[in-house]
Amino acid sequence: MTSAPLAARLTRVAGPLFFPVTAYGPDGGLGLDAFRAHVRGGVDAGAAAVFVCCGTGEFHALDPDEYRRCVAAAVEETAGRVPVVAGAGYGTALAVRYARIAEEEGADGLLALPPYLVVADQEGLVRHYTELVAATSLETIVYQRDNAVFTPATVVALARIEKIIGLKDGCGDLDLMQRVVSTVRRELPGREFLYFNGLPTAELTGLAYRGIGITLYSSAVFAFAPDIALAFHRALTTGDDTTVDRLLDGFFVPLVELRNLGRGYAVSLVKAGVRLGGLDVGEVRPPLREPRADHLKTFAELVEHGRTLLPDTTDTTDTTDTTDATDATEADQAVESTKEDA
């Protein structure tokens, strides 16, 4: 855990948010060496934050001991260079248990996943997240999707809780999100509340979300093709519409069409992509399944084609204005010198 508040470190970032896969060995157990290499490679490539044991990381498939080991490994590998955010979900009691493990292992924050199975009313959801955040000192981002979709009034209630610093949207309802943003702004003037585009392939809707002021997004592509993800992030941030359109039309739209051919592909294709890149992170655990062989062939060809669409000058240096992120890093250093689908 680092000293600077998570909200400050995520307010303005210079790269995509990285959701690593969880690696498994030949015996089906954790492959921590491969997982460490995956996390380390993502940070070295330019990830702005590591969201560990979340959707892409198969939180649903991990027992508490495996979860603990993954969070600890991610914290160790990032070494404070970027914040580590751990997923926490299921019913309230289990979510609290996972949250406390994350805190014990040095995570910087939590991504509160939707409660397991039940469809609760808004009052029940507020109570769930209130009890979850009260259990630790960690700042928390609430993930909106599936059975946890909030009214603007509920988001205001959540935003009144100091340790809830933001909302990750996995629904894609832009009308709802605009009303949420406007209501929080009106009801809580001065409250710096973060919003994240959390759709499975967020690049596809990046332009639309930016239209309502939401610039932070999770990138599943970054896990297996950081060069493509960074090029898109750079183009989107700097207004390079030509590159944005070229990558959308030639890579991201076909990727989403391929992803939609199989349930769970937003996770299993990502994991396959990491393997294609040369790192053996194993297969997904049940109930997810591996992509079909013909789909994997198409996927490999698509990734190869995506790289032909990159600007000739593409490198790993993002030109985003990083003033706030730099300030947060310097604050860290001053005190220390003392992360159906994703």
Side-chain angles (χ1 to χ4, degrees):
M1 180 184 291
T2 51
S3 57
L6 177 63
R9 301 183 76 190
L10 292 178
T11 295
R12 198 168 186 179
V13 298
L17 306 176
F18 175 33
F19 285 66
V21 303
T22 298
Y24 306 127
D27 64 352
L30 285 183
L32 278 181
D33 289 343
F35 176 73
R36 285 177 177 274
H38 183 42
V39 171
R40 189 166 57 247
V43 175
D44 289 345
V50 174
F51 284 68
V52 66
C53 302
C54 297
T56 307
E58 297 178 78
F59 172 79
H60 69 276
L62 301 175
D63 67 34
D65 179 65
E66 292 173 325
Y67 175 88
R68 180 185 295 277
R69 293 162 66 195
C70 285
V71 174
V75 169
E76 184 175 333
E77 292 301 329
T78 58
R81 289 180 289 169
V82 298
V84 173
V85 180
Y90 301 125
T92 306
L94 275 176
V96 164
R97 180 179 178 186
Y98 280 97
R100 287 174 174 160
I101 291 172
E103 182 175 43
E104 290 165 6
E105 298 305 329
D108 296 284
L110 300 172
L111 178 64
L113 306 173
Y116 172 70
L117 193 59
V118 297
V119 178
D121 61 19
Q122 298 292 295
E123 182 180 352
L125 289 169
V126 171
R127 181 181 174 188
H128 169 76
Y129 294 109
T130 300
E131 293 187 16
L132 173 59
V133 299
T136 75
S137 65
L138 298 179
E139 293 173 278
T140 299
I141 299 161
V142 174
Y143 193 2
Q144 168 172 266
R145 60 174 293 166
D146 299 329
N147 60 329
V149 178
F150 312 113
T151 66
T154 295
V155 179
V156 169
L158 294 173
R160 291 187 188 278
I161 302 171
E162 184 178 0
K163 284 187 293 184
I164 295 181
I165 63 169
L167 178 72
K168 179 184 178 185
D169 178 49
C171 294
D173 184 339
L174 292 177
D175 175 271
L176 172 61
M177 286 306 298
Q178 179 63 77
R179 288 185 288 115
V180 165
V181 171
S182 294
T183 304
V184 172
R185 188 167 53 220
R186 183 181 65 246
E187 297 295 325
L188 301 175
R191 172 69 155 114
E192 295 185 2
F193 197 66
L194 303 179
Y195 300 96
F196 304 78
N197 174 357
L199 292 175
T201 305
E203 286 89 348
L204 194 65
T205 53
L207 289 169
Y209 273 82
R210 281 180 175 258
I212 58 174
I214 299 175
T215 60
L216 295 166
Y217 66 89
S218 55
S219 176
V221 171
F222 185 88
F224 63 86
D227 50 346
I228 298 176
L230 285 166
F232 183 86
H233 184 276
R234 182 181 303 110
L236 186 64
T237 302
T238 61
D240 180 1
D241 294 340
T242 299
T243 298
V244 167
D245 291 345
R246 184 169 65 245
L247 286 171
L248 283 174
D249 298 348
F251 177 74
F252 286 103
V253 169
L255 176 63
V256 169
E257 292 171 346
L258 177 60
R259 185 199 72 204
N260 290 343
L261 294 179
R263 287 189 177 275
Y265 272 21
V267 177
S268 59
L269 275 178
V270 172
K271 204 161 195 180
V274 178
R275 295 195 304 269
L276 285 171
L279 184 61
D280 187 1
V281 291
E283 298 184 348
V284 291
R285 284 178 172 174
L288 297 180
R289 64 170 178 86
E290 288 298 299
R292 284 174 19 186
D294 57 329
H295 292 166
L296 283 177
K297 182 176 183 294
T298 300
F299 177 59
E301 293 170 349
L302 179 58
V303 174
E304 183 178 353
H305 176 65
R307 292 195 164 106
T308 70
L309 304 175
L310 301 180
D312 292 338
T313 57
T314 296
D315 57 34
T316 57
T317 304
D318 200 303
T319 56
T320 307
D321 178 356
T322 61
T323 303
D324 291 351
T326 300
D327 289 347
T329 300
E330 290 175 350
D332 282 353
Q333 293 171 344
V335 179
E336 290 290 339
S337 54
T338 31
K339 112 83 216 263
E340 126 196 328
D341 313 332

